[in-house]
Amino acid sequence: AGVVHALNAKNGKTLWTYTTGNKIFSAPFITPKLVIVSSCDGFIYALDRKQGTVRWKYNTDYPIVACPVVTAAATVNSTL
């Protein structure tokens, strides 16, 4: 499994963690409200930046090893 760790920038203490169904090979994309993560389990996860809870997730049906890209209109990612 892959784990996303959110840390307090001032003291390094863990704010929250989230575990995906498989490894994570890419950096997350950070927005003011979301942490968007791609996983080899085939899902793109949009996690709440403050709480670490899933706001939405999308199943691509294929492992993802690339970083997500977010625009005003869409979240884009490539798969294997």
Side-chain angles (χ1 to χ4, degrees), residues 1-45:
V3 180
V4 180
H5 298 270
L7 306 176
N8 182 305
K10 292 180 183 177
N11 60 26
K13 291 186 179 183
T14 300
L15 298 172
W16 53 262
T17 61
Y18 183 81
T19 302
T20 66
N22 206 327
K23 295 176 183 177
I24 299 169
F25 286 110
S26 62
F29 188 96
I30 309 295
T31 75
K33 295 185 179 184
L34 299 174
V35 175
I36 300 175
V37 180
S38 302
S39 174
C40 284
D41 64 3
F43 283 93
I44 300 169
Y45 296 87

